Amino acid sequence: MDKVLKQRAKATECAPPRDAGPSPVDYGPLKQRLGYVLRRAQVAVFQDFFEAFSEHDLRPAQYSVLTLIEHNPGLPQGRVAEALGIQKTNFVAMIGALKDRDLVRREPSKQDRRIHGLFLTRKGETLMVKLHKSAQDHEMRILKRIGESAYHELFSPLELVAFGKDPG
Amino acid sequence: MDKVLKQRAKATECAPPRDAGPSPVDYGPLKQRLGYVLRRAQVAVFQDFFEAFSEHDLRPAQYSVLTLIEHNPGLPQGRVAEALGIQKTNFVAMIGALKDRDLVRREPSKQDRRIHGLFLTRKGETLMVKLHKSAQDHEMRILKRIGESAYHELFSPLELVAFGKDPG
DNA sequence: TATTGTTATACTCTATAACTATA
DNA sequence: TATAGTTATAGAGTATAACAATA
């Protein structure tokens, strides 16, 4: 970090030779690959999210699970997993962890005892208020970082890529 | 899959009750979370990429490594890793795999024998032609899926998110 | 026989600490 | 002492097969 500053200073001293620092890397066609730029962008956003949510000891996927249950109380476990693109087999441990923390409750259906509906506990509902606040703060940081117009331009085409349809 | 078609047919039969299939899931604020939509979009794009590159037995990250080496022959291992956002410690095995397949060559610098420059082998260079073609076909599939305008709208704001600066 | 949820398992990705060889 | 690269390891994330309980 300090090294960059030193190099800048040096370049200012010996003005003419525009050789400031190591030669930049040529990304070739990489930045024309949607998958690559998408991946790097996702990692950058998750990094901020992750730091913001470390105080709650929650990962992005856990926030998405809790949010879906909050808005669809009683939805069968399998349908929650499916809606989030998580395989049911990997979803078992996720729900287990949230249940162990007393954030989520599982209730077997009386009509079909194979089905286990998911609900937030009181503690879970209370926590969601804080989580949504943290999430909104996080969104605003990203917005400030890239500018309002860039931020708002992203959602519509991204949903098209992700879900194959417009925002709806 | 067939189930959806059956439900559609049934809904068409008993026209009035607009109850076609299970009630849709409410995503709540999730689709207003840039990280969530970004993640789902990235997964969707990688899925197509992954299928397209399975014929070459290459993963997305490996394609990015080969492309960077192709455009920066001799670049030290650590700088390749850094440019791609990969930790040097995890990069060792990646390069090892590509070297074992005779796609990449490592050449110790004569000025500083700690540094190992990376180069494509002949075989690697030959392969890149096919890889770039597969990658371009993949891009065109995504473009067709979401439309030209949505596709082109994405790059500039995504680069801002990912790298903190405009396309440049 | 099909569906919901489960266990076991394996492979990839990512992160940290400690090491080597060079400088 | 600092840097480039390495090893070992542990934790997530993701994928498949096989199973129990229920319908």
Side-chain angles (χ1 to χ4, degrees), chain A residues 39 76-79 88-89 92 106 114-116:
Chain A
R39 172 66 177 163
Q77 187 169 319
R79 292 203 56 210
K88 64 174 184 175
T89 168
V92 176
R106 294 176 12 143
R114 290 173 302 183
I115 289 176
H116 295 71

Side-chain angles (χ1 to χ4, degrees), chain B residues 24-36:
Chain B
V25 172
D26 178 2
Y27 282 83
L30 224 43
K31 295 202 176 172
Q32 266 47 259
R33 302 297 177 219
L34 184 57
Y36 183 73

Side-chain angles (χ1 to χ4, degrees), chain A residues 50-64:
Chain A
F50 198 86
E51 285 161 20
F53 272 64
S54 69
E55 83 175 281
H56 306 113
D57 191 27
L58 269 194
R59 309 183 148 281
Q62 293 178 307
Y63 171 70
S64 71

Side-chain angles (χ1 to χ4, degrees), chain B residues 81-138:
Chain B
E82 186 192 16
L84 294 171
I86 302 171
Q87 295 199 58
K88 63 175 185 174
T89 168
N90 296 323
F91 198 59
V92 176
M94 287 193 69
I95 289 298
L98 296 174
K99 213 181 57 149
D100 289 348
R101 288 171 65 175
D102 192 31
L103 299 174
V104 164
R105 178 168 52 87
R106 292 174 15 141
E107 197 167 292
S109 159
K110 281 164 189 168
Q111 286 109 34
D112 184 340
R113 281 157 55 223
R114 290 173 301 180
I115 290 176
H116 295 71
L118 298 181
F119 300 85
L120 293 188
T121 61
R122 260 296 166 75
K123 189 177 166 195
E125 281 174 1
T126 303
L127 180 62
M128 289 314 287
V129 180
K130 293 182 193 174
L131 295 188
H132 289 314
K133 170 134 184 24
S134 288
Q136 192 56 32
D137 292 349
H138 153 76

